[in-house]
């Protein structure tokens, strides 16, 4: 009988995400109001859809393993050289490359407890150890805690999502710079900017390239291409050269490259998505106030609504799923007292509001 490597065999089984398809099958439901994965309800840009459809008969071709045209466009967007950009199959892919390249077996990594789980999934899967810092009591990232833990354990890699997932909080560029400057000189800082498109460029860290800094972005959120799996990293040419040693050469499919390139050229559609998303966030905040609850400030395409405690949040999520409305909740304190709801389109938001009012009334009764 063959066995996996000892380090892998010793790991407990882990499922970072349970998708709606599995839940629907288990519950015997035909469809969900999908508000659990922060997907865009507005879809991809129409020109992007048209460009992908035009090329469907060439799906027998491999994509460009270097993503040359897409890297050129991303370099123009970020005012850098194509040598500062590497494209992968979603943020999860490029995040895994960062962990493989700089935090392999025996390495330590620092992140917030309960943040986007794929980072820890990679660290543990590649033989590293996680050191976690709790969020502050108000649910915002504890930057001073990250700095203190990093100075204490001397990690190979530090991770922060900004805007944050799952809280939705946004940390100013000045505070990000303060954190970065305070980290050990030999620690790689992975800055996950999956939701940066919902924030003004003037609010973000300016185009900065340093060997200790990885900025990862995605087309899954504002560009509405989550199913296409396209993400990228911005860093130095030296770091990109390291990633070329270990990346999957044909990991990005051809149609995803075509769609992403067309999306970058459609600024008006992205502005529409960002504006509609902000409207949805305001609607959720108003709903929370109407029901005597509070919501956490968010700069993403989701909102956390504080329902009081973790037990109540779990019950609300489960009861909503029974009603065909799929949302999620953060898993670690203090955010586990919240439910997290993606911003849907107007009909989806209305369906959530109806179901949430009903479920909350039952829970309170």
């Amino acid at each position: 009988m063959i066995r996996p490597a000892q380090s892998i065999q010793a790991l407990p089984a882990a499922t970072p995400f349970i998708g709606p398809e599995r839940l629907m099958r288990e519950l015997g439901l035909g469809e969900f109001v999908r508000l659990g994965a922060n997907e865009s309800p507005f879809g991809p840009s129409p020109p992007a859809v048209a460009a992908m459809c035009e090329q469907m008969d060439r799906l027998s071709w491999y994509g460009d393993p270097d993503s040359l045209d897409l890297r050129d466009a991303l370099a123009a967007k970020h005012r850098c050289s194509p040598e500062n950009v590497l494209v992968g199959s979603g943020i999860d892919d490029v995040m895994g490359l960062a962990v493989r390249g700089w935090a392999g077996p025996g390495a330590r990594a620092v992140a917030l407890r309960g943040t986007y789980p794929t980072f820890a999934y990679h660290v543990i899967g590649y033989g590293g150890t996680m050191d976690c810092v709790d969020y502050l009591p108000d649910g915002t990232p504890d930057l001073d805690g990250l700095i203190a833990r990093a100075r204490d354990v001397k990690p190979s890699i530090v991770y922060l999502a900004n805007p944050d997932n799952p809280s939705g909080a946004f940390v100013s560029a000045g505070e990000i710079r303060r954190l970065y400057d305070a980290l050990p000189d030999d620690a790689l800082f992975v800055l996950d900017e999956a939701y940066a498109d919902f924030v003004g460029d003037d609010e973000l860290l300016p185009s900065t390239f340093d060997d200790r800094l990885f900025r990862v972005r995605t087309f899954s959120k504002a560009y509405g291409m989550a199913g296409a799996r396209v993400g990228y990293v911005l860093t130095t040419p030296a770091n990109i050269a390291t990633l070329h040693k270990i990346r999957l050469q044909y990991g990005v499919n051809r149609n995803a490259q075509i769609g992403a390139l067309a999306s970058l050229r459609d600024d008006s559609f992205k502005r529409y998505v960002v504006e509609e998303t902000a409207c949805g966030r305001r609607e959720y905040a108003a709903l929370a106030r109407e029901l005597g609850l509070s919501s956490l400030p968010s700069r993403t395409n989701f909102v956390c609504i504080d329902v009081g405690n973790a037990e109540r949040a779990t019950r609300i999520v489960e009861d909503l799923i029974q009603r065909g409305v799929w949302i999620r909740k953060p898993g670690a304190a203090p955010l586990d007292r919240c439910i997290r709801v993606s911003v849907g389109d107007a009909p989806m938001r209305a369906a959530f509001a109806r179901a949430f009012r009903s479920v909350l009334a039952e829970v309170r009764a």
Side-chain angles (χ1 to χ4, degrees):
M1 178 179 177
I2 63 169
R3 298 184 182 277
Q6 287 186 356
S7 59
I8 303 303
Q9 191 173 8
L11 293 177
T15 305
F17 305 102
I18 296 176
E21 296 81 4
R22 175 168 152 186
L23 293 171
M24 286 189 292
R25 179 171 295 189
E26 291 175 351
L27 295 170
L29 297 175
E31 61 179 354
F32 266 159
V33 179
R34 292 175 65 121
L35 296 172
N38 309 331
E39 299 156 324
S40 173
F42 309 107
S45 152
V49 174
M52 290 187 282
C53 288
E54 275 182 18
Q55 294 291 319
M56 281 299 292
D57 60 344
R58 292 181 177 173
L59 203 57
S60 58
W61 293 7
Y62 289 110
D64 172 10
D66 295 310
S67 298
L68 293 173
D69 291 342
L70 184 53
R71 286 171 59 211
D72 285 344
L74 289 168
K77 171 181 171 68
H78 294 288
R79 299 182 299 280
C80 64
S81 164
E83 282 67 43
N84 291 114
V85 185
L86 183 133
V87 177
S89 53
I91 267 186
D92 293 354
D93 178 28
V94 293
M95 192 184 299
L97 292 175
V99 172
R100 285 176 63 194
W102 283 268
R108 302 184 78 160
V110 169
L112 292 165
R113 191 184 320 278
T115 191
Y116 184 60
T118 298
F119 177 73
Y121 187 74
H122 282 310
V123 169
I124 295 168
Y126 290 122
T129 301
M130 286 297 307
D131 285 278
C132 294
V133 175
D134 290 333
Y135 284 78
L136 293 171
D138 65 355
T140 56
D142 183 0
L143 301 192
D144 290 324
L146 288 173
I147 291 169
R149 186 64 54 85
R151 288 175 173 173
D152 182 40
V153 305
K154 303 294 189 295
S156 299
I157 190 166
V158 177
Y159 170 85
L160 179 72
N162 189 48
D164 181 62
N165 184 9
S167 74
F170 176 64
V171 178
S172 70
E175 283 294 277
I176 292 293
R177 171 57 67 179
R178 181 177 74 86
L179 168 65
Y180 179 62
D181 289 343
L183 295 177
D185 290 341
D186 56 353
L188 180 70
F189 179 37
V190 175
L191 182 59
D192 181 346
E193 296 180 310
Y195 299 92
D197 289 308
F198 298 103
V199 178
D201 288 343
D202 58 338
E203 299 178 81
L204 297 168
L205 202 66
S207 293
T208 302
F209 300 94
D210 184 273
D211 285 342
R212 292 197 300 121
L213 179 62
F214 259 51
R215 300 175 72 172
V216 294
R217 297 282 189 98
T218 185
F219 284 84
S220 295
K221 306 304 177 185
Y223 291 104
M225 294 185 61
R229 310 309 302 133
V230 134
Y232 60 99
V233 58
L234 300 167
T235 187
T236 59
N239 286 347
I240 297 294
T242 296
L243 297 179
H244 279 306
K245 298 177 182 180
I246 56 176
R247 74 180 178 93
L248 184 62
Q249 298 295 309
Y250 286 101
V252 184
N253 77 72
R254 187 173 184 273
N255 255 28
Q257 293 169 328
I258 292 166
L261 185 59
S263 293
L264 285 175
R265 296 168 176 161
D266 192 359
D267 283 338
S268 62
F269 181 78
K270 192 184 85 166
R271 286 196 300 273
Y272 159 75
V273 171
V274 170
E275 290 167 2
E276 287 295 307
T277 301
C279 177
R281 291 198 305 261
R282 291 192 295 269
E283 196 173 301
Y284 285 158
L287 175 64
R289 289 193 298 272
E290 171 201 325
L291 297 173
L293 303 172
S294 62
S295 60
L296 276 58
S298 174
R299 299 296 299 276
T300 63
N301 66 348
F302 61 84
V303 172
C304 279
I305 298 176
D306 189 340
V307 297
N309 58 63
E311 292 75 19
R312 178 178 287 186
T314 298
R315 179 178 168 184
I316 289 172
V317 170
E318 292 173 349
D319 288 357
L320 284 171
I321 287 174
Q322 293 291 336
R323 287 167 167 78
V325 177
W326 176 58
I327 67 168
R328 284 187 171 133
K329 66 175 289 296
L335 290 166
D336 59 351
R337 66 179 188 262
C338 299
I339 60 171
R340 194 196 69 182
V341 191
S342 304
V343 173
D345 59 18
M348 296 168 75
R349 298 196 301 267
F352 164 71
R354 286 192 300 271
F356 185 41
R357 287 189 182 100
S358 175
V359 166
L360 188 62
E362 292 180 5
V363 169
R364 284 173 167 169

